[in-house]
Amino acid sequence: MTRVALRGLLGRKVRAALTALAVVFGVAMISGTFVLTDTIDRAFETLFTEVYEGTDIVITGVQAFETDFSQPPPFRASLLEEVRALDGVDVAIGGIQDFAQLTDRDGEPIRSGGAPTFGFGIGGSEPRFNPLVLTSGDWAAGPREVVIDAATAEEHGFGVGDTIGVRARGPVKEFRIVGTARFGNVDSIGGATAAYFDVPTAQRLFEKEGQLDGIQIAIEPGASSAAVIEQIERILPERTQALTGTEQAEDETSTIEEFTSFIQTFLLAFGGIALFVGAFVIFNTLSITVTQRTREFATLRTLGASRRQVLGSVVVEALVIGLLASVVGLFAGLGLAIGLNEVFVAFGVDLPSTDTVLAARTVVVGLIVGTAVTVIAGIVPAVRATRVPPISAVREGAVLPKGRLARLAPVVAAAVAIVGLALILLAMFAGGLGTTEILVLIGVGVVALFIGIALVSAKLVEPLAHAVGWIFVRVGGTSGRLARQNATRNPARTAATAGALMIGLALVTFVAVLASGLTRSIGDAIDDQLATDFVAVSETGFTPFEPGLDRVLRGRSDVLSVSPVRGENVMAELGAGAEAQLTGVDPESIPDVYRFEWVDGTDETVRRLARDEAILESEFATDHGLSVGDALRIQSPSGRFVQVAVRGIHRAPPFWQMLGDLSVPTDLFDEIIDNPRNLYTFIRAEGGASGSTAAALTDVVESSFPGIELESQAGFIERNEDQIGRFVLLLYVLLALSVIVSLFGIINTLVLSVFERTRELGMLRAIGMTRRQARRMIRHESIITALIGASIGMPLGIVLAAIVTTRLSSEGLSFVVPWPTLVVFVAASVLAGIVAAVVPARRAARLNVLNALHYE
């Protein structure tokens, strides 16, 4: 029976290949995800290993707690001489690490797409500590000299002797390029740029005179690292630590792995969606082929094959298809990893890379998942094959008998859909659930809901086919009428075919509706809070920037008000401690540009805010039982403590809150936060945003502060809405894979349908149907099937978005249905049907009439 199954599979190579493609795409996505993230991990691991390869011990600052954008605090530079005097220390050098924005030849910022713009102070005289390899020139050794990374030099046409602009703590300064360098053997550090100075220059540039960010130590031959570290710990200042070079490399690598783990989970979700859609395609294809092979199975039963052997033959087919498809998908993932990286680059996320990594885990997971999905999807068709009675071998037009539980199928399908919906509602609205529990409930609920809807949809096929097919009857005449009848001939088959597309369109619609709600909510929230002419933000819109711009703008006569908003996370001593966002504001100017909705206080409360006083956002105050007059102790990431008195409470839009949980005067903020940076700078100017001052201010910002962008209030809203749009476009690109898989499902079904109706098509041709009419009939059938999927999937996506929006409505999320976008989706469904019908329609039109009439 195994030989029979394999020979039968070879005899149906085209159908097997079309079935396998659904698995190939899903496994390729999984394989590509693992390859991409493993390659990124290897790049960083190599990078950090090379950075500390010649280092035995590293001294760095330590944050009191981790935050997104703050750096470990610097420490006194005099520690370096104390370390050098210790027993067992051979060589020790200090270094600086910060951020520096480079400019191109036109003075425009060299954009990193959100990647870091590193600035380093290094000692080129000790090559054992230097992970860099000079590709040209020499190391920086003077106050106006810089070495830049080779990738930036090549991309922007810089060479040794050229001048480049660098912005650190103030306006741009000019430096002469004396060399270019790269990190060891790492091909790329993504979109990051790097500028290397000598240590004294870096200390001045980053305002760290008398300070260092790190010390690298090489111990004497035969000395013990543990013994040296023990001596170092006796002289370490507060908030510093000493680790071995290996430990420091592992610590920095683990931080990066948290980021790549998120990317991996994010992309694997889309691989899972593609495989889930592929399972529908496999199930439908194998179901059709089992039905078409009724007489073949009956003959085998007549010749003595048992039900178990028939079951085994179909499972073997599924196993072989799944295994071969998984192997192809596994290696296709190598190419897809490159494509995924290019997608991220196109969306402004350039990730470091090195030689491609194909781990054993990738191979095992890809093969097991792809094969398992195929076999599981083939179990039901295989069981159906065992129900073929031997008498069917001599019957013309014999069909598979229905199972004993077939009449309960609609009830079971409805129950599965209801359970799925209940799990989603439980995850959304039940209290006390953790993040993992919520995600699991949503995942299982969505899968159950899709399966249940797909099974129930067989009952909807006939009314939906009549609803969407009338236009094809009007336009296509007889061909359109036959197409509509063909779509309803086997409702279960049509439903399963449309079900694959239904899933993709449901998810795309869900994203579109949610994105529309996000976009409106962002615009409304910003409009409710701001009353300013201009907003200065970093090029990414979310990374903080140095406040040097504030000083320059305050010196201009055409600027009426400059109100910076600094930002950092702190710990508030509330019971066990609670992380909170702290913002630093200018008490005098902030009421002129920000609309406070006061719960307790007035704008004058802010204007009179003393250095050790704060205003709170109402939700934070309520959650922690705080009111005006209470005292609150907070700790900065560098470990400094300060106590503030609550002087006012205001309510901010929960969805897009521009001020933090606590707001204090900038004087206090700058005192407790190392390297204070702005989230925004609000500016009021003569003539407003449309006045002549706008061009002058834009010129100042662009020429002196590259990497900072000036927007009107309307432009700032549009900028944030565009960022949502770019992310949604990324989701569309990733979801497109599942839609492509569903197209192969439609192609598969139509090809098999043409094969199944060979004699029927021959009869139609014999009584006068033209080749063009045959093509039109198949094409219309494909479009009707696609529209059935759209008419189920799109409302389902809207319902899912409505559930999520209802849950988050208290956070300010609006429910907005983007009707123009949904019309585009309908048009795309029609186009998908046309594309899917190309091959089957040509096959139907080319049938030889005589051969078709006596076909068996």
Side-chain angles (χ1 to χ4, degrees), residues 75 78 138 159 187 196 287 309 342 468 542 569 674 708 790 795 844:
F75 50 86
S78 59
D138 206 342
D187 300 328
Y196 310 100
S287 294
Q309 287 176 311
E342 291 303 317
V468 302
F542 57 85
N569 284 353
D674 289 320
I708 301 176

Side-chain angles (χ1 to χ4, degrees), residues 109-131:
I110 294 178
R111 302 188 185 279
S112 64
T117 54
F118 292 117
F120 297 98
I122 60 174
S125 60
E126 288 293 341
R128 79 174 84 182
F129 296 125
N130 195 338

Side-chain angles (χ1 to χ4, degrees), residues 516-526 655-656 811-816:
S516 294
L518 286 171
T519 301
R520 176 175 293 184
S521 299
I522 288 172
D524 291 347
I526 294 175
F655 185 72
W656 198 263
E811 301 298 320
L813 182 60
S814 303
F815 179 69
V816 181

Side-chain angles (χ1 to χ4, degrees), residues 1 282-291 293 297 301 306-319 374-388 400:
M1 288 299 293
I282 296 162
F283 168 81
N284 201 35
T285 303
L286 291 178
S287 294
I288 295 171
T289 55
V290 165
T291 301
R293 294 162 60 196
F297 290 132
R301 292 291 310 280
S306 65
R307 289 191 172 196
R308 186 174 182 178
Q309 287 176 311
V310 172
L311 174 68
S313 70
V314 179
V315 171
V316 165
E317 286 189 30
L319 179 65
T374 310
V375 171
I376 292 170
I379 286 176
V380 172
V383 172
R384 286 180 183 172
T386 66
R387 297 204 302 265
V388 177
L400 288 175

Side-chain angles (χ1 to χ4, degrees), residues 489-825:
R489 180 183 297 184
N490 191 328
R493 177 188 303 179
T494 302
T497 305
L501 186 59
M502 175 264 292
I503 295 170
L505 286 174
L507 294 173
V508 169
T509 302
F510 169 78
V511 169
V513 175
L514 213 57
S516 294
L518 286 171
T519 301
R520 176 175 293 184
S521 299
I522 288 172
D524 291 347
I526 294 175
D527 223 23
D528 288 344
Q529 293 175 89
L530 293 190
T532 185
D533 297 327
F534 300 100
V535 182
V537 290
S538 64
E539 64 167 335
T540 63
F542 57 85
T543 52
F545 58 93
E546 289 73 21
L549 174 66
D550 305 340
R551 295 190 292 268
V552 172
L553 292 181
R554 283 189 177 121
R556 293 179 61 91
S557 59
D558 52 1
V559 173
L560 302 177
S561 175
V562 177
S563 188
V565 176
R566 313 230 210 280
E568 183 57 273
N569 284 353
V570 296
M571 293 297 293
E573 289 193 343
L574 299 163
E579 189 168 341
Q581 186 183 35
L582 177 72
T583 45
V585 298
D586 177 20
E588 184 177 344
S589 63
I590 191 66
D592 297 331
V593 293
Y594 184 89
R595 297 188 183 97
F596 287 95
E597 182 185 344
W598 289 105
V599 175
D600 192 345
T602 66
D603 285 356
E604 286 304 310
T605 303
V606 184
R607 296 188 196 279
R608 296 195 301 267
L609 205 62
R611 179 182 164 281
D612 59 351
E613 295 177 340
I615 58 173
L616 307 185
E617 200 283 318
S618 60
E619 185 176 353
F620 179 82
T622 301
D623 289 346
H624 299 289
L626 296 170
S627 58
V628 171
D630 289 343
L632 178 64
R633 194 164 183 250
I634 58 177
Q635 181 187 28
S636 71
S638 59
R640 296 187 182 94
F641 286 92
V642 64
Q643 183 165 297
V644 295
V646 178
R647 283 292 170 260
I649 297 174
H650 69 102
R651 181 182 293 110
F655 185 72
W656 198 263
Q657 186 175 316
M658 301 191 71
L659 296 186
D661 302 312
L662 307 91
S663 295
V664 298
T666 49
D667 290 346
L668 178 62
F669 186 96
D670 293 352
E671 180 182 322
I672 65 173
I673 302 296
D674 289 320
N675 189 19
R677 292 183 287 175
N678 289 1
L679 298 175
Y680 321 99
T681 297
F682 302 135
I683 304 151
R684 295 183 64 205
E686 289 184 355
S690 58
S692 59
T693 307
L697 291 180
T698 301
D699 182 63
V700 168
V701 173
E702 290 182 351
S703 61
S704 300
F705 296 90
I708 301 176
E709 297 184 2
L710 192 68
E711 302 277 7
S712 66
Q713 182 168 324
F716 179 66
I717 293 173
E718 184 178 349
R719 174 195 186 91
N720 284 283
E721 291 175 347
D722 287 345
Q723 288 181 341
I724 294 294
R726 292 181 64 192
F727 179 67
V728 169
L729 186 58
L730 173 62
L731 296 181
Y732 286 162
V733 170
L734 296 174
L735 283 172
L737 190 64
S738 63
V739 176
I740 291 172
V741 172
S742 67
L743 291 187
F744 279 105
I746 297 175
I747 294 171
N748 242 355
T749 301
L750 291 175
V751 166
L752 294 172
S753 179
V754 169
F755 174 81
E756 184 180 59
R757 303 194 318 246
T758 298
R759 294 182 68 181
E760 176 187 319
L761 289 169
M763 184 67 72
L764 290 171
R765 291 293 312 284
I767 63 175
M769 176 177 274
T770 64
R771 289 175 183 259
R772 183 179 180 184
Q773 287 176 315
R775 286 196 298 269
R776 183 181 294 175
M777 179 182 69
I778 300 299
R779 185 164 55 248
H780 288 172
E781 182 180 348
S782 177
I783 295 172
I784 289 171
T785 302
L787 287 176
I788 289 172
S791 60
I792 299 173
M794 291 170 63
L796 182 57
I798 293 173
V799 169
L800 290 174
I803 291 172
V804 173
T805 303
T806 301
R807 172 65 179 83
L808 298 178
S809 60
S810 61
E811 301 298 320
L813 182 60
S814 303
F815 179 69
V816 181
V817 179
W819 296 113
T821 302
L822 299 189
V823 171
V824 172
F825 291 165

